[in-house]
C-alpha cells in the first residue's frame, strides 16, 4: 500500500497519531477551540512524504502557537512534532532538517527553564527527539543502500547482457564467415571440375549443401539461446564445438582443396568448455582467413602444444599469399580472435612469414585443468 498509495498511507499515519492523542485531549477537557488546534496540528502530516521539511516547520509553528495561545493542558503537540521530525529524517538528508530538530530541542530547554517542564521530562523528551531522528536517518540510509545495490545489480545485468550479445555476435561472425568461405571455395572447385568430372562436382555440391545446413543449425542454436527459448530439441541441446571437433573442422576445410594438417605436442589435458571453444574458434577463423587470402595451391598447419598450465596454438599457411603487410580485411576477424585469446590470458600475434605465407599464434592459459 505504501508504494501504490502514498497519500492514503500518510493520511492513515496522521489519523493514527491523532487517535493516539485523543485520550489526552479529551482528558484535558478542552473546548471546541482546542479541537480546532488538534486538527490543525495534525493536518501537515498528510504531506509528510511529499514535503517532509515543509511539514516539519509547519508543525513546529503550530506547536509553538498552541503552546502560547492554545488551551491549557494540551500535550499532543509534542507527539505530532516528533512524528514530523521522524518523517523529515526518513525522507530527507540531515542538512534539510537539523535546524528544525535544533529549534524543537531549544523549545524544550526554554520550557524547562520557565518551569513548564521538569528535568526528567526534559531528558525524556530530548532522548525521544534523538531517537526518532536517528531512527528516521537509519531507515533512510537502509533504503538508500538497498537502492544502490539494486542499481548496481541493474548495471551488472546490463553489462552481462552486453557481454553476452558481443559473445553471440562473435559466434555468429565466426560461424557465418567460416562456412561461407568454405562454401565459396567448394563452389569454385565444383565450377572448375563440372565439365571434366560431373560426379565429383555433384559430390562437391552435396558438401556445399551439408555445410549450409550445418551453418543454419548453428545459427538456429545461437538464436534460440538469445531468445531464451528453452526446448528439448536436439539443436538446442547440441554442445558447443571444441578441441575434440578440430579433426572434423579440418576435414571440412580439406574438402575445399586446402591441404591442412593437425599436429599435437606435449601431454594433452582436458580444459573447460570455454577454453575448448576458444581454441576451436581461433583455428576456425584462422583457416577462414587462409581460404579467403592464401590463394590457390595453399596449405596450412595447425599446431597445438600442451604445456604446464597453457596451450600454445599456432596456425601457419603456405602458398599463394606473398610476404608483405597484412591484407585489408572487411570484417572484425583478427579483432575478435584477439578478444577471445585475451579472455584466457593470451596475446594474439598474426603476421606474414619472411618466405611467404601467414601465421597466427597465441598462448592460452588453462584453469582447473585435469590430465586427459
Amino acid at each position: 500500500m505504501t508504494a501504490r498509495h502514498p497519500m492514503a498511507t500518510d493520511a492513515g499515519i496522521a489519523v493514527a497519531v491523532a487517535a493516539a492523542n485523543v485520550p489526552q485531549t479529551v482528558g484535558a477537557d478542552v473546548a471546541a477551540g482546542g479541537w480546532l488546534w488538534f486538527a490543525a496540528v495534525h493536518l501537515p502530516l498528510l504531506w509528510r512524504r511529499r514535503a517532509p521539511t515543509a511539514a516539519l516547520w509547519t508543525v513546529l509553528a503550530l506547536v509553538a502557537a498552541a503552546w502560547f495561545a492554545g488551551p491549557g493542558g494540551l500535550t499532543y503537540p509534542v507527539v505530532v512534532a516528533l512524528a514530523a521530525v521522524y518523517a523529515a529524517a526518513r525522507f530527507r538528508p540531515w542538512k534539510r532538517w537539523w535546524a528544525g530538530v535544533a529549534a524543537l530541542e531549544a523549545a524544550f530547554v526554554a520550557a524547562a527553564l520557565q518551569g513548564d517542564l521538569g528535568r526528567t521530562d526534559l531528558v525524556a523528551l530530548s532522548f525521544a527527539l534523538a531517537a526518532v531522528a536517528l531512527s528516521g536517518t537509519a531507515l533512510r540510509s537502509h533504503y538508500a543502500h538497498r537502492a544502490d545495490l539494486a542499481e548496481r545489480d541493474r548495471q551488472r545485468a546490463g553489462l552481462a547482457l552486453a557481454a553476452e550479445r558481443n559473445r553471440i555476435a562473435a559466434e555468429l561472425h565466426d560461424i557465418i564467415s567460416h562456412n561461407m568461405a568454405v562454401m565459396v571455395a567448394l563452389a569454385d572447385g565444383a565450377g572448375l571440375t563440372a565439365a571434366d568430372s560431373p560426379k565429383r562436382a555433384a559430390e562437391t555440391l552435396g558438401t556445399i549443401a551439408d555445410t549450409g545446413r550445418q551453418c543454419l543449425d548453428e545459427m538456429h542454436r545461437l538464436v534460440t539461446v538469445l531468445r531464451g527459448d528453452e526446448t528439448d530439441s536436439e539443436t538446442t541441446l547440441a554442445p558447443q564445438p571444441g578441441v575434440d571437433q578440430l579433426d572434423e573442422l579440418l576435414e571440412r576445410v580439406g574438402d575445399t582443396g586446402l591441404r591442412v594438417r593437425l599436429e599435437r605436442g606435449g601431454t594433452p589435458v582436458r580444459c573447460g568448455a570455454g577454453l575448448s571453444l576458444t581454441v576451436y574458434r581461433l583455428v576456425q577463423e584462422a583457416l577462414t582467413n587462409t581460404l579467403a587470402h592464401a590463394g590457390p595451391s595453399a596449405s596450412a598447419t595447425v599446431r597445438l602444444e600442451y604445456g604446464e598450465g597453457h596451450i600454445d596454438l599456432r596456425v601457419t599457411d603456405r602458398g599463394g599469399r606473398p610476404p608483405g603487410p597484412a591484407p585489408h580485411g572487411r570484417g572484425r576477424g583478427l579483432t575478435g580472435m584477439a578478444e577471445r585469446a585475451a579472455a584466457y590470458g593470451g596475446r594474439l600475434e598474426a603476421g606474414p612469414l619472411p618466405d611467404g605465407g601467414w601465421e597466427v599464434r597465441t598462448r592460452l592459459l588453462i584453469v582447473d585443468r585435469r590430465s586427459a
Side-chain angles (χ1 to χ4, degrees):
M1 182 176 179
T2 300
R4 294 184 179 181
H5 306 288
M7 188 63 181
T9 302
D10 294 341
I13 291 175
V15 171
V17 174
N21 289 322
V22 165
Q24 293 177 324
T25 305
V26 172
D29 193 23
V30 298
W35 289 106
L36 291 178
W37 281 109
F38 183 90
V41 171
H42 287 84
L43 188 62
L45 293 182
L46 293 175
W47 291 273
R48 61 182 292 276
R49 188 188 310 267
R50 290 179 295 173
T53 305
L56 171 61
W57 283 108
T58 303
V59 167
L60 292 181
L62 291 172
V63 165
W67 278 342
F68 287 106
L74 294 180
T75 58
Y76 60 83
V78 176
V79 179
V80 179
L82 295 178
V85 167
Y86 174 83
R90 166 65 181 86
F91 297 109
R92 292 293 184 270
W94 68 272
K95 293 180 179 180
R96 302 281 296 274
W97 51 262
W98 73 267
V101 173
L104 186 56
E105 178 63 21
F108 291 160
V109 173
L113 293 176
Q114 293 176 1
D116 295 334
L117 285 178
R119 179 178 299 179
T120 302
D121 293 334
L122 174 62
V123 172
L125 288 174
S126 298
F127 271 107
L129 178 60
V132 296
L134 292 176
S135 298
T137 301
L139 193 60
R140 180 178 182 274
S141 298
H142 170 71
Y143 280 105
H145 180 63
R146 287 181 55 181
D148 289 341
L149 292 179
E151 179 62 25
R152 292 179 185 178
D153 289 340
R154 284 191 291 269
Q155 291 178 356
R156 282 195 291 265
L159 291 175
L161 178 61
E164 182 66 8
R165 286 175 174 173
N166 289 335
R167 184 191 69 80
I168 292 177
E171 288 288 296
L172 287 174
H173 170 271
D174 293 344
I175 291 170
I176 295 174
S177 63
H178 172 75
N179 286 284
M180 291 301 296
V182 171
M183 292 169 68
V184 169
L186 289 171
D188 289 340
L192 294 174
T193 60
D196 298 333
S197 181
K199 181 178 179 180
R200 182 177 178 184
E203 293 175 350
T204 303
L205 291 176
T207 304
I208 293 175
D210 292 339
T211 303
R213 280 190 289 269
Q214 181 184 5
C215 180
L216 289 175
D217 288 342
E218 293 190 59
M219 291 177 59
H220 174 69
R221 175 177 53 79
L222 283 176
V223 171
T224 300
V225 172
L226 182 62
R227 294 173 57 188
D229 184 12
E230 297 181 358
T231 66
D232 294 330
S233 66
E234 182 179 355
T235 301
T236 303
L237 299 179
Q240 290 273 37
V243 175
D244 294 338
Q245 285 72 45
L246 285 179
D247 291 314
E248 300 175 10
L249 173 64
L250 268 61
E251 182 179 354
R252 288 199 306 271
V253 173
D255 290 338
T256 67
L258 176 67
R259 300 186 304 276
V260 57
R261 72 177 186 272
L262 175 63
E263 299 177 352
R264 290 184 173 91
T267 303
V269 296
R270 294 192 183 278
C271 52
L275 177 57
S276 184
L277 174 63
T278 296
V279 172
Y280 183 93
R281 293 301 187 203
L282 290 177
V283 173
Q284 183 183 55
E285 182 63 24
L287 294 178
T288 299
N289 292 337
T290 298
L291 289 173
H293 302 293
S297 68
S299 63
T301 301
V302 178
R303 173 76 180 178
L304 283 181
E305 184 73 30
Y306 294 90
E308 186 65 28
H310 66 268
I311 299 176
D312 287 332
L313 173 63
R314 187 184 301 266
V315 181
T316 306
D317 68 62
R318 306 279 182 175
R321 192 203 315 259
H328 296 286
R330 292 173 295 176
R332 62 180 302 276
L334 289 178
T335 301
M337 295 171 70
E339 291 173 354
R340 287 185 182 276
Y344 288 91
R347 180 176 180 273
L348 189 78
E349 298 180 3
L353 297 172
D355 55 348
W358 190 265
E359 185 175 73
V360 174
R361 58 189 176 274
T362 188
R363 169 172 291 186
L364 306 175
L365 301 182
I366 301 174
V367 181
D368 294 334
R369 63 193 185 91
R370 296 176 299 169
S371 298

